[in-house]
Amino acid sequence: MTPHAPSHSASPSLPMPSSLLDLAPVIPVVVVSDAADAVPLARALVAGGLPAIEVTLRTPAALDAIRAIAGEVPDAVVGAGTMLTPEQVKDSVAAGARFLVSPGWTDVLLEAMRGSGVPFLPGVSTTSEVVALLERGVREMKFFPAQAAGGTAYLKSLAGPLPQARFCPTGGIGLASAPDYLALPNVGCVGGTWMLPEDAIAAKDWARIEALAGEAAALSADGTPR
């Protein structure tokens, strides 16, 4: 799939790798309540070493936040999360999202994401869902909710019979548990919110968020500190 460059801004300076899972060891999962926070928040994450930023469509400010980051933070690779409908797919890409993430999938949603022109991670939590996506030619997926759905033990069990599937586990993961996930052969990166404490965002303490992002970015692909 060809990465999408927002038409309203210059081409992003950070190129998309061949795999979305190879952008960074951690993808921050961001809930933006105030679109005015989007740009300084994204700049703090990028400065800390986390360029891939998933803005979830859980608030009315989400699309404006994606639009602002896409237009004003060229070193960020901004994506849209909590994809549930084809309309959200269309609106997110129009706002400048360069990747899409869903908590689960249906054939209708999958085809909308496939037709969007940007990389996407459909969510799975069972072996049958993984097999169904492999059958449809999709090899990169979000494993959600990671901890509740079986955590590292479950993903490790999938690696034997389904080695072609790669995952971005998200849900209940923190700095302490992330290395265990990243050490698995079928995990490319993890998603998380631990570098985005609500009190830091409320206080607009971007320096603290940058420092926490730096700790997360210091995790290498195999789960050991760099």
Side-chain angles (χ1 to χ4, degrees), residues 18-22 119-122 133-134 137-142 164-168:
S18 58
S19 169
L20 175 59
L21 301 184
D22 296 333
F120 58 91
L121 294 174
L133 282 178
L134 291 174
V138 178
R139 296 190 174 190
E140 297 188 345
M141 312 165 195
K142 172 180 179 175
Q164 64 272 53
R166 293 183 75 212
F167 301 95
C168 174

Side-chain angles (χ1 to χ4, degrees), residues 54 81-84 100-107 109-110 113 120-133 138 140-146 149 166-170:
E54 176 191 335
T82 322
M83 291 289 105
L84 299 176
L100 306 171
V101 184
S102 67
W105 66 277
T106 65
D107 279 320
L109 181 58
L110 184 66
M113 292 194 292
F120 58 91
L121 294 174
V124 297
S125 61
T126 69
T127 305
S128 294
E129 290 173 316
V130 176
V131 172
L133 282 178
V138 178
E140 297 188 345
M141 312 165 195
K142 172 180 179 175
F143 180 62
F144 176 83
R166 293 183 75 212
F167 301 95
C168 174
T170 305

Side-chain angles (χ1 to χ4, degrees), residues 202-223:
K204 303 188 188 303
D205 189 350
W206 312 127
R208 181 182 171 198
I209 289 174
E210 179 180 341
L212 292 172
E215 288 181 347
L219 298 172
S220 66
D222 64 359

